[in-house]
Coordinates of all heavy atoms in Angstrom, one line a residue:
M29 N 150.4 71.6 125.6 CA 150.1 72.1 124.3 C 148.9 71.5 123.7 O 148.1 72.2 123.1 CB 151.3 71.9 123.3 CG 152.6 72.6 123.7 SD 152.5 74.4 123.5 CE 152.3 74.4 121.8
T30 N 148.9 70.2 123.9 CA 147.7 69.5 123.3 C 146.4 70.0 124.0 O 145.4 70.2 123.4 CB 147.9 68.0 123.4 OG1 149.1 67.7 122.8 CG2 146.7 67.3 122.7
D31 N 146.5 70.1 125.3 CA 145.3 70.5 126.1 C 144.8 71.9 125.7 O 143.6 72.1 125.6 CB 145.6 70.5 127.6 CG 145.8 69.0 128.1 OD1 145.4 68.1 127.3 OD2 146.5 68.9 129.1
D32 N 145.7 72.8 125.5 CA 145.3 74.2 125.2 C 144.6 74.2 123.8 O 143.7 74.9 123.6 CB 146.5 75.1 125.2 CG 147.1 75.3 126.6 OD1 146.3 75.1 127.5 OD2 148.3 75.7 126.7
T33 N 145.2 73.5 122.9 CA 144.6 73.4 121.5 C 143.2 72.9 121.6 O 142.3 73.4 120.9 CB 145.5 72.6 120.6 OG1 146.8 73.2 120.7 CG2 144.9 72.7 119.2
I34 N 143.0 71.9 122.4 CA 141.7 71.2 122.4 C 140.7 72.2 123.1 O 139.6 72.3 122.6 CB 141.8 69.9 123.2 CG1 142.7 68.9 122.4 CG2 140.4 69.4 123.5 CD1 143.0 67.7 123.2
R35 N 141.1 72.9 124.1 CA 140.1 73.9 124.7 C 139.8 75.0 123.7 O 138.6 75.4 123.7 CB 140.8 74.4 126.0 CG 140.9 73.5 127.1 CD 141.2 74.2 128.4 NE 141.6 73.3 129.4 CZ 142.8 72.9 129.7 NH1 143.8 73.4 129.0 NH2 143.1 72.1 130.7
R36 N 140.8 75.5 123.0 CA 140.5 76.6 122.0 C 139.6 76.1 120.9 O 138.7 76.8 120.5 CB 141.9 77.0 121.4 CG 141.8 78.4 120.8 CD 143.1 78.9 120.4 NE 144.0 79.1 121.5 CZ 145.1 78.4 121.8 NH1 145.4 77.4 121.0 NH2 145.9 78.6 122.8
D37 N 139.8 74.9 120.5 CA 138.8 74.4 119.5 C 137.4 74.2 120.0 O 136.5 74.4 119.3 CB 139.4 73.0 119.0 CG 140.7 73.2 118.2 OD1 140.9 74.4 117.8 OD2 141.4 72.2 118.1
E38 N 137.3 73.8 121.3 CA 136.0 73.6 121.9 C 135.3 75.0 122.0 O 134.1 75.1 121.8 CB 136.1 73.0 123.3 CG 136.5 71.5 123.2 CD 136.7 70.9 124.5 OE1 136.6 71.7 125.5 OE2 136.9 69.7 124.6
D39 N 136.1 76.0 122.3 CA 135.5 77.4 122.4 C 134.9 77.9 121.1 O 133.9 78.6 121.0 CB 136.5 78.4 123.0 CG 136.8 78.0 124.5 OD1 136.0 77.3 125.1 OD2 137.9 78.5 124.9
D40 N 135.6 77.5 120.0 CA 135.2 78.0 118.7 C 134.1 77.2 118.1 O 133.5 77.6 117.1 CB 136.4 77.9 117.7 CG 137.5 78.9 118.1 OD1 137.2 79.8 118.9 OD2 138.7 78.7 117.7
E41 N 133.7 76.1 118.7 CA 132.6 75.3 118.2 C 131.3 76.1 118.3 O 131.0 76.8 119.3 CB 132.5 74.0 118.9 CG 133.6 73.1 118.6 CD 133.5 71.8 119.4 OE1 132.4 71.7 120.2 OE2 134.3 70.9 119.3
P42 N 130.5 76.1 117.2 CA 129.2 76.8 117.3 C 128.2 76.1 118.3 O 128.3 75.0 118.6 CB 128.6 76.6 115.8 CG 129.3 75.4 115.3 CD 130.7 75.4 115.9
E43 N 127.3 77.0 118.7 CA 126.3 76.5 119.7 C 125.4 75.5 119.0 O 125.1 75.7 117.8 CB 125.5 77.6 120.3 CG 126.3 78.6 121.1 CD 125.5 79.7 121.6 OE1 124.2 79.7 121.3 OE2 126.0 80.6 122.4
P44 N 124.9 74.5 119.7 CA 124.0 73.6 119.0 C 122.7 74.2 118.6 O 122.2 75.0 119.3 CB 123.8 72.5 120.1 CG 124.1 73.2 121.4 CD 125.2 74.2 121.1
A45 N 122.2 73.9 117.5 CA 121.0 74.4 117.0 C 119.8 73.9 117.8 O 119.9 72.8 118.4 CB 120.8 74.0 115.5
P46 N 118.8 74.7 117.9 CA 117.6 74.3 118.7 C 117.0 73.1 118.1 O 117.1 72.9 116.9 CB 116.7 75.5 118.7 CG 117.1 76.3 117.5 CD 118.6 76.0 117.3
E47 N 116.4 72.4 119.0 CA 115.8 71.1 118.6 C 114.6 71.4 117.6 O 113.8 72.3 117.9 CB 115.3 70.3 119.8 CG 116.5 69.9 120.6 CD 116.0 69.1 121.8 OE1 114.7 68.9 121.9 OE2 116.8 68.6 122.6
T48 N 114.6 70.8 116.6 CA 113.5 70.9 115.6 C 112.7 69.7 115.6 O 113.1 68.6 116.0 CB 114.0 71.1 114.2 OG1 114.9 70.0 113.9 CG2 114.8 72.4 114.1
P49 N 111.4 69.8 115.2 CA 110.6 68.7 115.2 C 111.2 67.6 114.3 O 111.7 67.9 113.3 CB 109.2 69.2 114.7 CG 109.3 70.6 114.9 CD 110.7 71.0 114.8

Side-chain angles (χ1 to χ4, degrees):
M29 295 293 291
T30 308
D31 294 339
D32 294 338
T33 306
I34 294 171
R35 291 193 188 93
R36 198 174 295 113
D37 294 339
E38 291 177 354
D39 293 338
D40 294 338
E41 289 180 358
E43 296 180 357
E47 295 182 359
T48 56

